[in-house]
Structures are given as C-alpha cells and as structure tokens.
C-alpha cells in the first residue's frame, strides 16, 4: 500500500493534561470506519489540506494516519476496502491501530472464513452492524435470531475471537412483542434478544445514538443490562421527536455522557465512536478528532 499522501495535520488532544479525574482511557476508545465511508470510497468530503489519494487503499491509509495522530489506538472496520485481510492488518499495525471489533457478515455459510480473518486481525469481538438472520420481523423470528447468535457466538469463542455482538438501530427498540415464551409481558425485540442469548457467547454493542432516537434512556439500559453490554457505539443526537432528530459531534447532543460512562464502568470494555449516516454537510475528520478528545477527557 502506498504511503499516506497529503494528510491533514489534526490537533492532537493534550491527553496528559486534559483531565484530572476518572476518564475513559484511550486504550478503550475506538472508531467505526463507516464514519469515513464517503471519503474512503470516493474521496468526497476531504477537508482543506488533504488531497484524496487515487485509490481506496491510499484514502484508507490517510484516514488511519489521521486517526493515529489524533490519539486513537483502535479502529472498527466494516470493509477491507479492496485489500486482503492480511494487507489490512499490516496497514493497521503500521499506524499502531488495533482491530478489536469489526462489523462483518453473519452469514452462517461464510462464518468460518470471517472467523479466520478475525483471528488474523486479533479481534476480541465478532459481530455486524445489525443482528443475524432471520431478523426481528416476528416474535418467532426474534427467538430464532437469538438461536443463530448463540451458534455463531459459540464458534467465535472457540476460535479465540471472543463473543459475537448484536448492534441495534432504532427498530430493535421500537419493535415490540408480548413475550409469550417468557413472562408474558410486552418487551422490545432488543430485550427479548438479550434474555434469550447465552452470555458466554453473545454480548451487545449498544448504539447509544439510535437507542436515544428510539426514545430509550441509554443510562437506564446500561444500568439494567450492563453485564450484557460490553461495547458501546458512542453516538450522539439531538432528538425533537421520533421522526425529527440530528446526529452530532459527541457531547453536543441529548446524551448524558458523564452518567452513561459512570454506569458503564466495570462492564463496557470498548467505546466505539461513530457518526452514522455520513452526510454531505459535515467533516468526518473534525468529528473524529473532536469526539475523541471529548470522550477521552470527560470526567465522571
């Protein structure tokens, strides 16, 4: 892979001086590379001072170089952007970045191949940007999805790459069923999945932004289900109604991050920053740098 070309010079957080109380250490902070999808895939959204490379691999390298300079030590890929797993791993290592988690396909036929890549990358968690098949379109499908997660998660644990995680959007909370095979009460699909998966093999990546958009209290979720939530998608949003919301830089939305981080202590192992979906109206590089500094320096 060619060297990084024309990369921007980010303002590096003053990690040694930014806080004196309890904070989230940089070793537990990651970022989902979907945040940079527009730039990596096409060169769109490049900030002033950064010249997009000619290939996806060159643009990916510019992103990784930027993240390393901004203080990140971990990344969460969703694609290899045309590279092999071996090439992606070598590039991440060149910039001192670990791949502790990844959004990957949960197709059972391809799971052995995905697990081999996960082993190569040194992942501690496997999973996807959603949940496994057959989904949540019915109560019985939710239960079947829990069974799929249990199967895939057991294989991942035996592979040495840790439990599988499920990642929510708003629908896992707004979709609700009477839990007829449980206690007979009305529950979200997300809660039914939590209660019907084996904690030895399945954990959850709570997307805080989407949960907030769905009307959930993320702090209450972590307090109640914290032992099943080992990863957070650190995503913020300003919500005025279930259909009126805007995602924003971490710390500028409705989420009470100090209370959430305090509740997460002892359970959450990885804090993955993300802006989703990437739009045409904001700079993902500034978002990544500002959000890292906020999460790394916030005391709670």
């Amino acid at each position: 892979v060619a060297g990084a070309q024309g990369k921007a010079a980010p303002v590096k957080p003053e990690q040694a001086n930014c806080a004196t109380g309890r904070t989230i250490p940089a070793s537990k902070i990651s970022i989902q590379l979907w945040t940079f999808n527009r730039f990596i895939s096409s060169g769109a959204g490049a900030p002033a001072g950064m010249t997009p490379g000619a290939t996806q691999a060159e643009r990916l390298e510019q992103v990784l170089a930027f993240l390393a300079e901004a203080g990140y030590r971990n990344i969460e890929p969703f694609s290899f952007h045309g590279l092999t797993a071996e090439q992606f791993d070598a590039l991440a290592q060149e910039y001192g970045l670990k791949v502790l988690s990844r959004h990957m396909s949960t197709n059972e036929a391809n799971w052995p191949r995905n697990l081999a890549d996960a082993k190569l990358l040194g992942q501690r968690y496997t999973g996807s940007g959603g949940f496994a098949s057959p989904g949540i379109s019915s109560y019985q499908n939710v239960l079947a999805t829990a069974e799929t997660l249990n199967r895939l998660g057991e294989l991942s644990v035996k592979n040495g790459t840790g439990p599988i995680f499920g990642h929510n959007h708003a629908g896992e909370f707004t979709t609700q069923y009477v839990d007829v095979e449980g206690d007979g009460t009305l529950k979200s699909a997300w809660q039914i999945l939590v209660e019907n998966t084996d904690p030895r093999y399945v954990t959850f990546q709570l997307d805080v932004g989407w949960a907030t958009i769905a009307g959930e209290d993320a702090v209450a979720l972590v307090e109640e289900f914290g032992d099943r939530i080992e990863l957070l998608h650190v995503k913020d949003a300003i919500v005025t109604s279930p259909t009126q919301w805007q995602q924003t830089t971490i710390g500028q939305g409705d989420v009470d991050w100090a209370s959430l981080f305090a509740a997460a202590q002892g359970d959450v192992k990885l804090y993955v920053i993300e802006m989703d979906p990437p739009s045409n109206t904001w700079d993902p590089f500034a978002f990544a740098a500002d959000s890292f500094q906020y999460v790394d320096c916030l005391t709670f």
Side-chain angles (χ1 to χ4, degrees):
V1 180
Q5 302 175 10
K7 62 187 179 185
V11 176
K12 188 171 182 179
E14 296 295 334
Q15 292 163 274
N17 303 314
C18 68
T20 57
R22 183 172 63 175
T23 63
I24 302 299
S27 61
K28 292 186 176 182
I29 301 173
S30 183
I31 188 166
Q32 166 56 240
L33 293 185
W34 176 251
T35 302
F36 294 92
N37 181 51
R38 288 180 62 249
F39 176 77
I40 296 173
S41 62
S42 68
M50 180 172 286
T51 303
T55 67
Q56 283 196 51
E58 289 172 346
R59 292 190 291 271
L60 170 65
E61 183 163 5
Q62 290 185 70
V63 169
L64 299 190
F66 178 94
L67 293 174
E69 287 192 39
Y72 285 90
R73 300 180 189 177
N74 308 292
I75 53 174
E76 183 177 80
F78 68 95
S79 168
F80 294 144
H81 302 286
L83 302 179
T84 65
E86 290 81 0
Q87 289 171 326
F88 190 97
D89 180 57
L91 185 60
Q93 288 193 45
E94 181 179 344
Y95 290 97
L97 295 165
K98 295 180 180 180
V99 181
L100 301 182
S101 61
R102 179 166 60 104
H103 283 190
M104 41 204 270
S105 169
T106 52
N107 183 304
E108 289 198 68
N110 297 331
W111 196 238
R113 174 70 262 173
N114 276 320
L115 289 183
D117 289 343
K119 187 81 169 181
L120 172 73
L121 292 165
Q123 288 177 228
R124 297 179 188 172
Y125 299 96
T126 57
S128 73
F131 287 86
S133 294
I136 62 170
S137 59
S138 71
Y139 175 72
Q140 291 302 324
N141 277 350
V142 175
L143 296 180
T145 296
E147 293 176 358
T148 304
L149 289 170
N150 285 333
R151 290 194 301 273
L152 297 180
E154 183 175 5
L155 292 171
S156 182
V157 169
K158 290 179 177 178
N159 186 56
T161 45
I164 191 172
F165 61 80
H167 172 277
N168 65 278
H169 293 85
E172 286 79 14
F173 291 104
T174 58
T175 301
Q176 300 182 336
Y177 301 105
V178 174
D179 190 7
V180 295
E181 295 191 22
D183 60 11
T185 62
L186 185 67
K187 299 176 182 177
S188 69
W190 187 87
Q191 182 174 349
I192 295 170
L193 288 167
V194 170
E195 293 177 353
N196 286 274
T197 47
D198 190 328
R200 295 175 298 173
Y201 307 131
V202 182
T203 189
F204 290 81
Q205 183 178 69
L206 178 66
D207 189 302
V208 175
W210 283 116
T212 301
I213 290 165
E216 295 289 329
D217 181 338
V219 176
L221 286 172
V222 170
E223 288 176 342
E224 183 175 359
F225 300 102
D227 60 347
R228 298 302 310 281
I229 301 169
E230 294 188 34
L231 308 91
L232 293 182
H233 253 199
V234 178
K235 187 180 298 178
D236 213 342
I238 299 169
V239 183
T240 54
S241 77
T243 58
Q244 297 286 329
W245 50 268
Q246 180 180 357
Q247 291 183 27
T248 185
T249 299
I250 310 305
Q252 297 181 8
D254 293 340
V255 178
D256 179 356
W257 290 106
S259 296
L260 183 62
F261 290 163
Q265 291 302 290
D267 292 315
V268 172
K269 306 299 190 296
L270 195 59
Y271 299 76
V272 186
I273 292 168
E274 184 189 32
M275 173 69 85
D276 169 41
S279 72
N280 296 322
T281 60
W282 61 279
D283 177 354
F285 295 88
F287 164 82
D290 292 345
S291 295
F292 177 88
Q293 185 165 8
Y294 180 85
V295 173
D296 193 34
C297 294
L298 179 67
T299 57
F300 52 91

